[in-house]
Amino acid sequence: MSRLPHVCGLCLLLRLWQFLALAPFRTGGPMGARCQRWVTLMAVLRWLLLASMAPFVLWKSAAMYEATNVRHSRVFKTIALATMTGDVCISLALLANHLLKRRQLANLVNDLARLHRRRRLGWWSTLFLWLKLLLSLYDLLCSVPFLTGAGARLPWSQLLAYGVQLYFQHVASVYGNGIFGGTLLMLECYTHLEREETNLAGLLRREDRWLRLVRRFVRVFQLGIFLLVLGSFVNIMVNIYAFMSYYVSLHGVPLTISNNCLVLAIQLYAVILAAHLCQVRSAELRTTCLQLEYVPEGLSQEQAMASTPFPVLTPTGNAKFRILGVCNLDNSFWLFLVSYAMNFIVVILQTSFEHINHGEI
């Protein structure tokens, strides 16, 4: 597999995490990622400033729709305000969680960096990572037409609030890209582990180390992943509701709402799919070890047969992306989300068309 040592995107993601205060520590040097008091103090002050500005941002963002010449329905304004409130709360929770777990996060980043030096992302993983980065950039650039069209009519306070709102929105997006990139790196290692390691005992030892790394990865990020999945799914639901309300009332197709819903769905499914594939690779490695019938070192085949009818030493367990004991990120979970969304769409359509038949819309 060809390697792309300088454009894999993981280094760029780490810099973005530091810029957005998702990684409140210093990197570089022989010690790698390390926590320092002044960096932590700056991150705390930034979080306090953002938390104090949150009510102002929401207030000005709500007033921003009144300042434009576009007529928005009450449903659209309510959904937009609820979505912005969710983005602000989730971003503040992510930043606070990383502040509290900064030492665990720094140690995990160091382990992932050492893993990355031994196994860089291949062509396909790099392509998928950059596609996701460009998708987040597209989501951010979607605000440019609004700024060019209505920005001149808005006061500076509302423009400031809109900029801070974009920051909150991009924090969650960059966080999701980081989770996706880290999962791709572990998936790459699982993919190449079996073909690189010919000694089965060494294979099991490396698999056990990577399994512990996966568990630490899930333990450190499980609250953030839960908030990311919950926030993305709720945003998708409210965008679907706004889409249906707009279509039923005006019989049109709102491209902004549909594009936003599509981007959120792709980003959410990308994280779930990467976690699912990582678990699949781990299970395949366990099956391979079972088929090879590994006998521990120092124990002959006859001794193993005498001590147990099934002389096989298997890996300690499979990688599981179980989040807060609530859900497991795999395809079954994604199908549950899709089925719930489809039921939601059917209920909204039935209610809306019934209102049309009675002349209420």
Side-chain angles (χ1 to χ4, degrees), residues 258-305:
S258 58
N259 286 343
N260 188 25
C261 190
L262 180 62
V263 168
L264 284 172
I266 293 176
Q267 290 181 339
L268 176 60
Y269 181 65
V271 174
I272 297 176
L273 179 61
H276 171 71
L277 292 178
C278 190
Q279 295 172 88
V280 169
R281 291 297 185 186
S282 176
E284 289 177 353
L285 180 62
R286 182 187 180 99
T287 303
T288 301
C289 294
L290 285 170
Q291 292 174 348
L292 292 175
E293 296 185 355
Y294 169 66
V295 179
E297 185 178 358
L299 190 65
S300 65
Q301 185 72 29
E302 292 76 11
Q303 291 173 332
M305 291 295 295

Side-chain angles (χ1 to χ4, degrees), residues 150-293:
R153 296 189 299 271
L154 298 177
W156 69 268
S157 58
Q158 292 182 357
L159 289 177
L160 175 63
Y162 187 72
V164 177
Q165 176 63 32
L166 287 180
Y167 168 81
F168 282 126
Q169 180 181 349
H170 205 55
V171 163
S173 178
V174 172
Y175 178 84
N177 291 338
I179 298 299
F180 183 70
T183 309
L184 281 181
L185 177 60
M186 293 184 292
L187 177 60
E188 191 82 24
C189 293
Y190 271 118
T191 302
H192 293 271
L193 177 60
E194 185 178 345
R195 68 182 66 173
E196 290 180 349
E197 185 65 62
T198 57
N199 183 11
L200 188 54
L203 177 71
L204 287 173
R205 284 194 297 268
R206 292 179 64 183
E207 191 275 341
D208 183 64
R209 289 198 301 268
W210 288 352
L211 180 62
R212 290 197 298 267
L213 180 63
V214 172
R215 289 172 175 171
R216 287 177 53 206
F217 184 89
V218 175
R219 186 166 58 251
V220 172
F221 293 125
Q222 61 177 343
L223 176 60
I225 295 175
F226 176 77
L227 293 175
L228 180 69
V229 172
L230 179 64
S232 299
F233 187 66
V234 170
N235 283 348
I236 290 173
M237 291 294 99
V238 296
N239 276 283
I240 289 176
Y241 185 83
F243 182 94
M244 295 300 171
S245 175
Y246 189 98
Y247 178 79
V248 171
S249 59
L250 301 178
H251 302 284
V253 178
L255 293 179
T256 302
I257 299 176
S258 58
N259 286 343
N260 188 25
C261 190
L262 180 62
V263 168
L264 284 172
I266 293 176
Q267 290 181 339
L268 176 60
Y269 181 65
V271 174
I272 297 176
L273 179 61
H276 171 71
L277 292 178
C278 190
Q279 295 172 88
V280 169
R281 291 297 185 186
S282 176
E284 289 177 353
L285 180 62
R286 182 187 180 99
T287 303
T288 301
C289 294
L290 285 170
Q291 292 174 348
L292 292 175
E293 296 185 355

